Amino acid sequence: MEDELHRVVGIDLGTTYSAVSAYDPDDFAPKILADPEHEGAAAVATPSVVRIDPATGALVVGHDAKDAISQEAGAGDALVEIKREMGAVFTPELLQHFGASGSYAVGDPVRARLGTEWLRPQEISALVLMRMKRIAEQALGADIHDAVVTVPAYFMERQKKATEEAALLAGLYPRQLIPEPTAAAIAYGVDRAESERQIYLVFDLGGGTFDVSIIETRDDEIEVIATAGDQRLGGGDFDDAVAAWIVESLGETLPKDMDRLRIKAAAEVAKRELSLRSTTTLDLGAGTTPLALDRPGFEALIQPILDRSLRQVDEALTFARTAKGVERDHINAVLLVGGSTRIPRVKQMLLDYFDQDEGFVRGDANPDTLVARGAAIVANRFEPSPAFDLATRPDAERSADEQDYTVTLITEHTLGVGVQQGRFNALIPRGTKIPARQVKSYTNPEQADRIEAAIYQGEGEYVYDNSLIGTIHLDEIEPRPEGYHQFEVEFSLDVNGLLGVQVTHTNTGREYQATFDQSTTIGKVDELAERRGVLVDLYATVRPAGSGPAPHTGARPGQPAGAGADGGAGAAPDAGPGAFTVPAPIAPPAAPPTPPVTSTTPPAQPAATVPAQPAPVDDGEADVPAEYRRMVKKALRAAKDGQAPPELTGALGAFLAGVRSGVDEDTLDELADRLEDAYDHSRR
């Protein structure tokens, strides 16, 4: 037992593999905690895979779940790469991927079937975290209640919130959510504490997500300068490319009933072998012809995916230059993180991109353990909790003498509110150091008796191109001329990058706290406790490796699927509440307020402008059907100059409100026809 290790652990909750680490105060270094049920590399990293054994009903997590995929019988019920769906809602593609059509619809929060029930991504991730927690407890010989959990640098608010919930469901206080590239940089030797300023580009290519971060270090200070990323780019995509090549190569000789996960597992094996040798053979069995694949052929298959990673490198470098004055030639080295960086082509691609010599791209550490080790270094600053209770949140940190460094993080996405004409008004810009706080003033629209403050995240000029986080409803507002009511909107970001919002009606002093109803999160403590109870019972069916099958206990993963807290269709709304006007920045007391700009008409009249909370499409937060997107975008552009006729803005507002509330197909068609007619009329 390693009882001298710190009992707040660091966990790399990975898309394909996860790892746990604890800080050793005697060695002043983190230590990876090995799985006692496995040996070698298998003990270090646990597959983020879960399934239900169909013969026993027992939960299987990790290596055994992954191994079942390649068995002759297949394991189509295994859940892999669920981290990609954290905080997501169903798209047509995801419905097909999870076989959820008929149980769920486009726009519903993503759920995946485990056994006979459907679970949220954070519930499935909680089962993986329970395994990490158990490994740590076996290694330390003590209960573990706290962890620093890593997240992709480019995770958005709802994805971070889902990760936080996953930790709580697993019985762990998430003491901090830290970006994976930052954790890796801390462990990579950045903690060697060079006295001279160093700037590193961290290239983090994992199994399912890709992040690039530019990080500055000096002595014991670490500061994140810029981030970019792609939440659907990683080694799993390389496997998919090889799997597609296998299917195409075998053609009609491929058995129709061969499971897709089995083909992908064979592709993953080939990918790993081609990182070590120049050629490999893929043999799926079942009478199929063995296929030969060489390294140049593999690199040709994955090059389009690698090109996407370079576009994110471009974005991070551009932001670092424009926002922080850090130029491309200021980069001292590239640090490789993530198992997919073992592919030789990755290092050569980066050397070519930066036109540098061999030593510029550093891959001299184990990319599979860097993130967990860095998280453990961060975890050393927190005091362990004596027990776990969902109703409490510990905040005790160790003394400053026990903290060897400081880390400055930034917000990866701009945060703001929706205003008139569907515009996005920023409060906290991308790249702001966190924790952060910002306040702006807004005024009321003409004669509105209720106001909505819609909160968005993203870089688009219009709310339609950003992600809706949530809405604060300000009811019982006395209808008054535009500009009469004054509102202060306060945004605060905590150290995890999680957002808090408060709106104050300055005329009355009344405060409105944000209680965002994000359909993808569980939310309330009692609901979390209920779901945690279900998961604990399910995890109790897990059997140690080699112990034989478990008896069927009757435990079920989750409650019956159906309508309820996740939302559903509702009645078509009225013309909608008023939106905030163009912001009036806070000024000295003597300065007059900024003249308001009308954003809506009285409720009894047709809506006069675009409402402030149209549903975004591309990020999956809400669903504007594909056949209507072109028209909606044209209508938003037409409203850009503020001169669009009331007929168009009213029709657009009604259509977007209908999408948000989930009106039936016929009603949405009628609203779309009205919008198209209004747009055509406005162009005459």
Side-chain angles (χ1 to χ4, degrees):
M1 294 184 183
E2 304 285 356
D3 54 2
E4 75 277 9
L5 300 182
H6 189 51
R7 288 192 298 109
V8 181
V9 298
I11 298 178
D12 173 13
L13 178 60
T15 307
T16 54
Y17 287 88
S18 296
V20 58
S21 179
Y23 193 80
D24 186 338
D26 292 333
D27 291 342
F28 300 99
K31 180 176 181 179
I32 290 292
L33 305 181
D35 185 342
E37 297 178 15
H38 296 275
E39 297 179 353
V44 173
T46 298
S48 303
V49 181
V50 301
R51 70 184 291 258
I52 296 293
D53 185 334
T56 65
L59 176 69
V60 186
V61 182
H63 292 283
D64 291 343
K66 184 176 177 62
D67 291 345
I69 293 174
S70 58
Q71 293 173 355
E72 279 294 325
D77 58 341
L79 296 177
V80 302
E81 300 179 1
I82 197 64
K83 178 178 170 181
R84 284 186 164 185
E85 315 313 332
M86 288 290 231
V89 297
F90 275 120
T91 62
E93 295 76 17
L94 287 177
L95 282 172
Q96 180 179 5
H97 176 76
F98 288 109
S101 297
S103 298
Y104 294 94
V106 169
D108 289 339
V110 164
R111 292 179 188 248
R113 184 189 293 275
L114 185 64
T116 61
E117 304 295 345
W118 296 89
L119 298 182
R120 299 170 178 86
Q122 58 263 50
E123 293 176 301
I124 298 162
S125 294
L127 298 173
V128 176
L129 287 173
M130 286 179 178
R131 181 62 190 148
M132 297 297 101
K133 181 177 186 287
R134 180 59 182 152
I135 290 171
E137 289 174 336
Q138 289 174 299
L140 274 65
D143 291 339
I144 300 297
H145 306 297
D146 309 85
V148 168
V149 182
T150 63
V151 293
Y154 224 55
F155 253 22
M156 303 190 81
E157 164 80 14
R158 66 182 186 275
Q159 295 167 307
K160 291 179 181 178
K161 188 65 179 176
T163 304
E164 180 187 51
E165 287 189 344
L168 293 170
L169 290 167
L172 292 166
Y173 291 120
R175 302 302 293 272
Q176 187 170 354
L177 303 180
I178 187 168
E180 291 163 3
T182 305
I186 292 170
Y188 212 116
V190 171
D191 53 332
R192 295 170 191 165
E194 295 102 329
S195 59
E196 297 296 324
R197 178 192 189 218
Q198 299 288 315
I199 297 180
Y200 299 99
L201 185 142
V202 183
F203 189 91
D204 184 358
L205 184 59
T209 59
F210 170 68
D211 285 316
V212 54
S213 289
I214 298 174
I215 295 175
E216 178 180 339
T217 70
R218 189 197 307 267
D219 293 324
D220 57 357
E221 298 179 4
I222 301 169
E223 180 177 344
V224 179
I225 295 173
T227 63
D230 188 329
Q231 297 162 20
R232 293 187 178 274
L233 191 161
D237 297 287
F238 302 154
D239 301 339
D240 289 337
V242 175
W245 173 81
I246 294 172
V247 171
E248 181 181 359
S249 299
L250 292 178
E252 296 297 324
T253 67
L254 181 69
K256 301 296 184 185
D257 60 349
M258 183 163 289
D259 188 78
R260 65 176 181 84
L261 287 181
R262 184 177 171 192
I263 301 173
K264 185 168 182 173
E268 181 186 1
V269 171
K271 174 188 69 178
R272 291 174 178 271
E273 290 182 350
L274 289 170
S275 294
L276 301 173
R277 54 185 61 91
S278 60
T279 185
T280 189
T281 300
L282 299 93
D283 189 354
L284 297 177
T288 59
T289 302
L291 300 172
L293 181 62
D294 60 15
R295 186 178 288 175
F298 169 68
E299 292 177 348
L301 290 173
I302 69 171
Q303 191 58 51
I305 304 169
L306 291 175
D307 289 341
R308 288 166 53 195
S309 74
L310 287 183
R311 288 196 287 272
Q312 298 303 322
V313 172
D314 282 337
E315 181 179 335
L317 289 170
T318 299
F319 183 82
R321 183 183 68 253
T322 57
K324 305 298 177 71
V326 175
E327 299 291 342
R328 180 192 186 99
D329 58 6
H330 292 167
I331 304 295
N332 296 105
V334 173
L335 309 181
L336 296 181
V337 180
S340 295
T341 59
R342 285 194 172 94
I343 297 171
R345 176 61 189 151
V346 172
K347 181 174 182 179
Q348 188 57 52
M349 174 188 72
L350 291 167
L351 290 173
D352 294 342
Y353 178 86
F354 284 98
D355 192 22
Q356 292 282 350
D357 297 330
E358 184 79 12
F360 182 77
V361 177
R362 289 167 46 181
D364 52 334
N366 184 343
D368 292 326
T369 62
L370 280 166
V371 172
R373 289 173 54 227
I377 295 173
V378 176
N380 188 51
R381 70 172 23 164
F382 298 104
E383 289 287 357
S385 303
F388 178 81
D389 181 356
L390 277 171
T392 64
R393 294 295 180 90
D395 57 7
E397 293 194 18
R398 310 182 83 180
S399 69
D401 293 339
E402 297 177 278
Q403 299 179 23
D404 300 328
Y405 64 93
T406 60
V407 178
T408 302
L409 303 178
I410 62 173
T411 177
E412 298 85 8
H413 307 275
T414 298
L415 293 152
V417 299
V419 294
Q420 77 287 355
Q421 299 173 9
R423 289 181 178 274
F424 174 62
N425 185 255
L427 271 83
I428 298 181
R430 174 188 179 190
T432 300
K433 296 179 181 179
I434 59 175
R437 176 181 175 274
Q438 181 62 51
V439 179
K440 272 192 177 182
S441 295
Y442 298 82
T443 59
N444 66 296
E446 177 71 24
Q447 299 296 332
D449 60 357
R450 56 192 177 99
I451 306 291
E452 287 186 353
I455 314 302
Y456 290 88
Q457 185 174 36
E459 312 309 318
E461 181 181 358
Y462 290 94
V463 295
Y464 184 85
D465 296 317
N466 297 320
S467 173
L468 176 65
I469 296 175
T471 302
I472 304 179
H473 301 275
L474 286 67
D475 297 323
E476 300 179 2
I477 301 297
E478 182 182 3
R480 287 283 189 166
E482 59 188 45
Y484 175 85
H485 293 288
Q486 303 289 319
F487 301 94
E488 281 192 350
V489 179
E490 177 183 328
F491 277 20
S492 59
L493 282 175
D494 65 14
V495 70
N496 295 323
L498 294 175
L499 177 66
V501 180
Q502 178 175 297
V503 178
T504 302
H505 185 202
T506 56
N507 301 61
T508 63
R510 183 178 177 184
E511 296 179 348
Y512 300 81
Q513 297 286 342
T515 54
F516 296 137
D517 265 343
Q518 296 186 69
S519 63
T520 57
T521 58
I522 298 170
K524 298 180 180 177
V525 171
D526 56 345
E527 294 174 354
L528 280 169
E530 178 185 351
R531 300 308 306 154
R532 171 162 159 72
V534 170
L535 297 175
V536 168
D537 289 344
L538 175 60
Y539 193 81
T541 68
V542 172
R543 305 291 290 173
S547 64
H552 193 349
T553 65
R556 292 296 182 211
Q559 300 298 320
D566 289 322
D574 57 19
F580 280 135
T581 63
V582 170
I586 296 175
T594 302
V597 178
T598 302
S599 102
T600 189
T601 56
Q605 302 175 16
T609 60
V610 179
Q613 61 280 11
V617 175
D618 295 339
D619 58 16
E621 179 67 33
D623 175 53
V624 172
E627 62 266 30
Y628 304 128
R629 293 177 189 172
R630 181 181 179 85
M631 174 53 63
V632 170
K633 285 189 175 182
K634 289 195 298 184
L636 279 171
R637 292 192 193 101
K640 181 177 181 180
D641 60 4
Q643 302 300 315
E647 179 187 6
L648 174 60
T649 53
L652 180 56
F655 176 83
L656 293 175
V659 170
R660 290 195 309 277
S661 63
V663 298
D664 59 63
E665 186 176 348
D666 290 341
T667 302
L668 197 61
D669 278 338
E670 293 176 5
L671 292 170
D673 289 342
R674 175 187 166 193
L675 175 59
E676 186 169 11
D677 290 343
Y679 177 82
D680 290 340
H681 187 267
S682 72
R683 310 302 290 175
R684 293 173 185 169

